[in-house]
Amino acid sequence: MIILGRILVFIGLVAILHAGYSAVQCRTYYKLLEEEFTSLPVDIFIQCLLGMLFGCVGVVLVAGEFKEIRAAAEMASKSWESLGNRPSFYTFNHRGKKLYSDLPQSSNW
């Protein structure tokens, strides 16, 4: 599947590059004929869309197996008491140490 995905990505990139080249060529042709350039021909649009579609399908095939995103699977191993506990927010080294280090230590606290 990975090889097929890479081939589809390559085909998609080549199709998009060719559509871009064709768009520039079409615009130059209209300038030579001194006609107004209103829009691109339909075949260039279709080629660009197919190139994008092939590229997207190829990237999905190259990416491999997707994992299911479920919060319940991660939370199943934790207890209710630890759900509110967020150790990533614990800060023991903060500016309060430096700000209040000059104050005399009192025994009122």
Side-chain angles (χ1 to χ4, degrees):
M1 280 304 216
I2 292 176
I3 295 173
L4 176 65
R6 289 182 181 176
I7 291 171
L8 285 176
V9 168
F10 179 75
I11 290 171
L13 286 174
V14 168
I16 290 174
L17 288 174
H18 187 266
Y21 180 75
S22 297
V24 170
Q25 200 173 26
C26 179
R27 187 171 181 133
T28 305
Y29 178 72
Y30 281 137
K31 281 184 182 179
L32 287 175
L33 293 178
E34 296 178 354
E35 292 182 12
E36 185 180 343
F37 181 77
T38 56
S39 66
L40 290 173
V42 177
D43 63 332
I44 296 176
F45 277 123
I46 293 172
Q47 184 178 9
C48 190
L49 289 175
L50 285 176
M52 187 180 73
L53 179 72
F54 285 163
C56 289
V57 170
V59 166
V60 168
L61 289 176
V62 169
E65 291 292 322
F66 291 116
K67 293 182 180 178
E68 190 174 339
I69 300 174
R70 294 185 312 163
E74 184 178 332
M75 296 297 169
S77 63
K78 296 184 179 182
S79 66
W80 281 102
E81 291 82 24
S82 67
L83 288 178
N85 190 9
R86 294 186 174 95
S88 60
F89 288 106
Y90 291 166
T91 306
F92 298 109
N93 243 350
H94 55 82
R95 62 181 168 215
K97 279 185 185 178
K98 189 67 173 170
L99 288 174
Y100 300 112
S101 64
D102 298 338
L103 295 176
Q105 298 292 327
S106 67
S107 60
N108 293 343
W109 297 100

